[in-house]
Amino acid sequence: MPNVGPRIVSLLPSATEIVCALGLSEQLVGRSHECDYPADIDSLPICCDSKVSREAQSAALNDEVNNIVTNGLSLFEVFPDELRRLAPDVIITQTQCEVCSVSEADLKRALGEWTGTVPTVISLAPRNLEQVWDTVDIVGAALDVPARAEELRRTIDARIDAIVARTQFCVPRSIVCLEWLNPLMVAGNWIPELVELALGTDPFAAPGEHSHWIEWDQLLHADPDIILSMPCGFGLEHTKQETKILSHHDGWSHLRACRENRTFVTDGHQFFNRPGPRLIESLEILAEIIHPDVFKPRFAGKAWEQM
């Protein structure tokens, strides 16, 4: 039978993953430049692009972003002609971070001269883990598949419970998750909660608060058992190159994590930075790294490596 559901454009990688996890991939007609999972959505038209290169080094990229934002400009360009051609019924975007993905404000500018029926805009803004899982319900309700959303939530809850059950007798380890490397930023939002579920302790934890900058001396003072690099928007290979800068700092080799070979790089772009269904896999990755004596390294080499 022909597909008669709403035509969907997702300008947010995590939303694209939610739509597909709800079994609605055939209703996707367009995507963002960063939507790359699952693989079968690669052929969809791209409806936006970034004005900065994600291949730049951390410091240069940080300066470029700051210059654009300081001048009151957007970091993203939405393609209004492509949106009109695709004629979506629903467009999904976000208001959580104007640096990470196309924002609702970017989309409104692009739709400013839209004629005819304006698409319904679903805007997501999760800041903590529960709100991430709530986005599944929000998207499911908006796309008229609430039962599928409920089933997906049950699956996620079951996987979380299974991990927590296996870590209950483990020894907690302190861990610092670095979301940016030059300058240093520690991960906030949903990451501290994932660390806690994996029976780790985060000395810079601020669940639900945005990621925040720290000074090098603060990392030295914290002296965690584990250091995890997960730069926002960087894949595994890019992160491996970027983390070399950490060894240039005074005191790096004296940190407990370095002395005990517990420094790791991860694919933050595909996992930790995306507030969608695969955060459950991010939790599994954390459990593997924090408790290697309990969890098999299922994601090693694909999503994380020892630094």
Side-chain angles (χ1 to χ4, degrees):
M1 293 180 62
N3 186 2
V4 294
R7 295 169 59 83
I8 306 164
V9 166
S10 172
L11 302 181
L12 190 62
S14 58
T16 299
E17 295 186 20
I18 292 172
V19 170
C20 293
L22 293 174
L24 302 175
S25 58
E26 292 185 358
Q27 291 173 213
L28 278 168
V29 297
R31 63 183 175 99
S32 80
H33 60 293
E34 289 191 320
C35 295
D36 55 9
Y37 184 90
D40 58 4
I41 60 112
D42 283 352
S43 60
L44 291 175
I46 294 174
C47 301
C48 61
D49 201 1
S50 173
K51 296 179 182 178
V52 298
S53 171
R54 288 290 186 178
E55 300 306 313
Q57 293 185 331
S58 298
L61 184 54
N62 186 67
D63 290 343
E64 187 176 2
V65 167
N66 284 337
N67 287 336
I68 292 174
V69 172
T70 299
N71 289 316
L73 302 175
S74 172
L75 296 170
F76 299 93
E77 179 183 5
V78 181
F79 305 150
D81 291 341
E82 184 69 349
L83 288 177
R84 291 190 188 94
R85 185 185 72 82
L86 294 172
D89 301 301
V90 175
I91 302 176
I92 309 178
T93 185
Q94 57 92 39
T95 57
Q96 196 230 4
C97 178
E98 294 192 356
V99 173
C100 298
S101 298
V102 171
S103 69
E104 186 175 22
D106 296 326
L107 181 58
K108 284 182 176 179
R109 283 190 289 269
L111 297 178
E113 299 181 1
W114 191 281
T115 58
T117 303
V118 178
T120 297
V121 175
I122 303 172
S123 190
L124 306 177
R127 294 187 62 173
N128 59 39
L129 197 56
E130 185 60 29
Q131 290 174 2
V132 172
W133 305 141
D134 286 345
T135 62
V136 172
D137 295 328
I138 292 168
V139 174
L143 300 179
D144 200 27
V145 288
R148 296 186 191 180
E150 185 178 345
E151 178 60 29
L152 180 56
R153 285 287 298 265
R154 283 198 294 267
T155 300
I156 290 170
D157 289 342
R159 290 175 69 178
I160 291 174
D161 290 344
I163 292 170
V164 171
R166 294 179 65 186
T167 60
Q168 61 180 321
F169 299 113
C170 294
V171 176
R173 290 196 174 104
S174 61
I175 178 171
V176 169
C177 299
L178 298 175
E179 193 168 300
W180 204 251
L181 304 178
N182 189 17
L184 285 180
M185 174 183 280
V186 290
N189 298 303
W190 45 85
I191 297 299
E193 293 169 278
L194 290 177
V195 168
E196 184 178 359
L197 286 170
L199 204 62
T201 60
D202 183 346
F204 299 107
E209 298 297 324
H210 285 306
S211 303
H212 58 279
W213 306 109
I214 63 168
E215 299 296 329
W216 181 252
D217 286 347
Q218 290 176 269
L219 179 61
L220 294 180
H221 179 72
D223 197 20
D225 297 315
I226 300 168
I227 296 175
L228 200 62
S229 295
M230 52 176 70
C232 185
F234 287 10
L236 189 59
E237 291 302 316
H238 196 171
T239 300
K240 286 163 64 175
Q241 294 300 315
E242 285 293 306
T243 49
K244 293 176 182 178
I245 196 171
L246 295 176
S247 64
H248 298 164
H249 286 281
D250 291 337
W252 169 254
S253 61
H254 300 296
L255 285 165
R256 181 186 296 111
C258 294
R259 299 196 312 269
E260 297 179 359
N261 293 318
R262 289 181 179 150
T263 58
F264 302 90
V265 294
T266 71
D267 188 338
H269 176 61
Q270 287 291 331
F271 295 96
F272 299 95
N273 307 152
R274 293 190 182 186
R278 286 197 296 164
L279 280 188
I280 186 60
E281 296 183 9
S282 303
L283 173 58
E284 292 170 346
I285 292 166
L286 282 170
E288 290 178 12
I289 291 172
I290 299 173
H291 306 293
D293 51 334
V294 175
F295 293 87
K296 293 181 179 179
R298 188 164 69 94
F299 290 93
K302 296 177 289 184
W304 66 270
E305 292 182 12
Q306 195 161 28
M307 195 182 299

